[in-house]
Every structure is written in C-alpha cells, then in structure tokens.
Amino acid sequence: MKEIGRLSESDGQYEFREPSRSLIVRGEHPEWVLLAAAEVIANTAKLEAESVIEEMNAMVEFEAVAEIEVDSAKYALKERFDLIPQCIVTVGKMDYKWAAPEGRAKKQEEFGDQALKRVHDMSLTRTDSFLKNESDDDMNTQTQS
C-alpha cells in the first residue's frame, strides 16, 4: 500500500504532509488541516489533469496522440471533478456512506441533517448469525423427512 500523506500532532499543532507534492499544512484542529489539504490537493490535481489534456490536444495535431485518448482523459477529468464526492466510512463494524455537503443537500431524505448514513451492519456477516433464527436454530443445514 502506498502512503499518500500523513497527519500528525505535536505540541497542540496538527500537521499534514504529502511528500509527492511537497505539501505541508499546519493548524490548530485536525479537521481544519484535512479540509485545507483536501482543497489544495483537489485544486492541484485538477490543474494537472487540465494541463495533460491541453498537452494531448497539441499532440493530436502531430498525430502523436489519438483523439480517443484525449476523449478518455476528458472523461476521467469530468468523472473525478464534476461528480459529488462520496466515500464509505467504516467505524468499528459499521459502514456508513458519506457524501459532500452539496450531495447531502440533494438527497435530504437519505441523509437528513447527518454527514453519514448507515449502510448496513457488516458484523452479522462476520459471525454468520444471520443464518440462525430467533430460537438459535441453524438454518444453514436442511433436514429431510
């Protein structure tokens, strides 16, 4: 697994470092530091992707790149930056769906005023307790008469 960045705390200050971009963000609260880092990383990534598309467009004129490759890069850019960010957050044995604030506003009936919506309880699949009924009979084996 590749480490992208690291959040650490020292003397009441939080610091996020992302070496590949030479990025260091410092602040008094971890959520502020992570929000700032996310915005900087997103803006930088978008600029990088747009510059790749511009470069590819120039290379199309010299037939070094096919139009389909440019279209593919444009689609990847649109898919990453035009969609509402969503993630799965696991806390203990519970999985939750997180969506950016604008996504939660669009799906008010799903999220309400919460940042997270419970997906399902994965603990049941870890213990196989879903295969037992209320009287603790194992429903995994069938009996034949």
Side-chain angles (χ1 to χ4, degrees):
M1 176 172 24
K2 179 181 175 185
E3 185 174 291
I4 304 301
R6 180 179 295 266
L7 179 69
S8 58
E9 186 265 333
S10 177
D11 299 326
Q13 280 282 92
Y14 293 89
E15 181 177 278
F16 178 84
R17 289 180 175 258
E18 203 236 333
S20 69
R21 288 189 169 88
S22 300
L23 175 66
I24 301 172
V25 181
R26 293 181 192 93
E28 295 180 19
H29 303 285
E31 62 275 16
W32 294 1
V33 171
L34 291 173
L35 282 169
E39 188 171 346
V40 170
I41 291 169
N43 290 339
T44 303
K46 188 170 185 176
L47 288 171
E48 289 169 349
E50 288 171 346
S51 69
V52 166
I53 291 171
E54 286 180 26
E55 182 181 330
M56 291 174 84
N57 278 327
M59 294 178 76
V60 165
E61 294 177 26
F62 301 107
E63 297 180 358
V65 173
E67 284 282 343
I68 190 86
E69 292 176 85
V70 177
D71 290 343
S72 177
K74 287 179 181 177
Y75 178 79
L77 177 74
K78 185 175 178 75
E79 183 180 54
R80 180 170 182 185
F81 295 104
D82 288 350
L83 294 179
I84 295 171
Q86 299 178 45
C87 296
I88 297 297
V89 177
T90 301
V91 180
K93 293 182 178 181
M94 302 295 196
D95 286 339
Y96 298 90
K97 178 180 178 183
W98 171 89
E102 61 269 22
R104 295 193 301 266
K106 288 181 180 178
K107 293 190 171 191
Q108 188 66 28
E109 70 284 351
E110 187 175 346
F111 286 94
D113 294 331
Q114 302 298 316
L116 300 172
K117 175 196 173 249
R118 186 172 166 188
V119 177
H120 47 74
D121 186 351
M122 291 300 292
S123 65
L124 295 178
T125 59
R126 291 188 180 99
T127 63
D128 290 336
S129 61
F130 67 96
L131 294 175
K132 295 180 181 176
N133 64 18
E134 289 180 8
S135 63
D136 210 30
D137 295 328
D138 189 353
M139 302 304 289
N140 197 19
T141 58
Q142 294 182 346
T143 56
Q144 294 182 0
S145 337

